[in-house]
Amino acid sequence: MKKAAIVLSGCGVYDGSEIHEAVIALLCLQSRNFEVDFYAPNISQYHTVNHLNGKEETPSRSVLEESARIARGAISDLSEFSAEKYDVLAFPGGFGAAKNLSTFAFDGKNCEVNKDVERAIKSALKTGSAIVFMCISPVIAAKVIGSGVVLTIGRDPATASAIESMGAKHVDKSAGDFARDEKFNVWTTPAYMLASSAAEVFAGASKMFDDIVNFLNAR
């Protein structure tokens, strides 16, 4: 059985992982016979957002503890991640990718990436794992990998420009499609950067994970 790791950034689109995208990634992987483990950095969230009214709240929350809600408690500190154990490393989107896993939401092209996230990606590059970024999370790949890596966040001009200013190559893709970089084994899909429903997110993710399975089977 092949193994995949999903890296979460909290629980909820406005301050953590986009829950639909995380669950769709899990469903796509498990339905293709992957054993899936969850990881998250053991850090504090940038802030907490009330998802009912969009207002910030004062309680400080842990990215790892909040991510455990999606993982049903079965989650590990990202500092413990070992790329040698996995065929796939996946990052769902949500603002947590741009606020907790990186500072892209605040610093744009000058953003910094969490050290454990950066280490996980660089180690997965060395092992030749398939690396997946959904929604806004490809900005992390642009910062960590650069070097002309092919990515998509859909069709948002400002974000596409930021990706290219970090040394990546952006390609326009619809919500039901994906981009693949064959040099770095990186797959990206726009998800809720363009999608208007979970069904559209699933269409793009399913197509992407089918391609990843073909890639892994051909190795």
Side-chain angles (χ1 to χ4, degrees), residues 98 102-113 143 162 165-166:
S102 75
T103 63
F104 181 81
F106 319 109
D107 302 323
K109 65 180 181 180
N110 299 314
C111 66
E112 295 182 359
V113 175
K143 188 66 176 183
S165 70
M166 289 188 280

Side-chain angles (χ1 to χ4, degrees), residues 7-217:
V7 178
L8 301 177
S9 60
C11 182
V13 60
Y14 299 125
D15 57 14
S17 290
E18 211 301 316
I19 297 172
H20 295 179
E21 293 173 6
V23 174
I24 285 169
L26 175 65
L27 176 62
C28 285
L29 286 162
Q30 288 186 336
S31 64
R32 289 161 178 78
N33 298 314
F34 283 83
E35 180 182 343
V36 179
D37 294 330
F38 285 99
Y39 289 87
N42 189 11
I43 58 175
S44 296
Q45 292 184 179
Y46 171 75
H47 61 183
T48 300
V49 177
N50 181 321
H51 280 58
L52 186 61
N53 59 27
K55 295 181 179 179
E56 289 187 30
E57 297 182 338
T58 53
S60 177
R61 296 188 181 184
S62 160
V63 170
L64 182 58
E65 291 176 5
E66 290 300 295
S67 297
R69 294 175 180 271
I70 298 174
R72 296 173 59 89
I75 193 166
S76 300
D77 188 329
L78 185 58
S79 66
E80 301 171 4
F81 174 81
S82 176
E84 291 77 11
K85 297 179 181 179
Y86 297 99
D87 302 283
V88 176
L89 174 63
F91 292 84
F95 278 105
K99 294 177 178 179
N100 302 327
L101 303 188
S102 75
T103 63
F104 181 81
F106 319 109
D107 302 323
K109 65 180 181 180
N110 299 314
C111 66
E112 295 182 359
V113 175
N114 172 272
K115 61 181 178 59
D116 289 326
V117 171
E118 183 174 4
R119 182 187 62 82
I121 293 169
K122 288 183 175 179
S123 60
L125 287 169
K126 290 179 180 178
T127 60
S129 303
I131 313 177
V132 176
F133 298 91
M134 303 173 71
C135 195
I136 190 62
S137 69
V139 299
I140 299 172
K143 188 66 176 183
V144 173
I145 303 172
S147 302
V149 60
V150 176
L151 307 169
T152 187
I153 47 78
R155 295 178 178 138
D156 179 68
T159 311
S161 176
I163 281 177
E164 298 211 325
S165 70
M166 289 188 280
K169 176 178 173 53
H170 181 265
V171 292
D172 287 0
K173 294 289 181 179
S174 68
D177 205 353
F178 68 95
R180 175 183 175 183
D181 185 286
E182 296 185 7
K183 178 180 178 181
F184 295 104
N185 297 332
V186 169
W187 281 257
T188 53
T189 186
Y192 274 119
M193 289 295 290
L194 282 181
S196 58
S197 68
E200 283 188 84
V201 175
F202 178 77
S206 184
K207 189 175 178 181
M208 176 179 67
F209 281 109
D210 279 342
D211 192 64
I212 290 170
V213 169
N214 292 336
F215 159 74
L216 293 173
N217 288 339

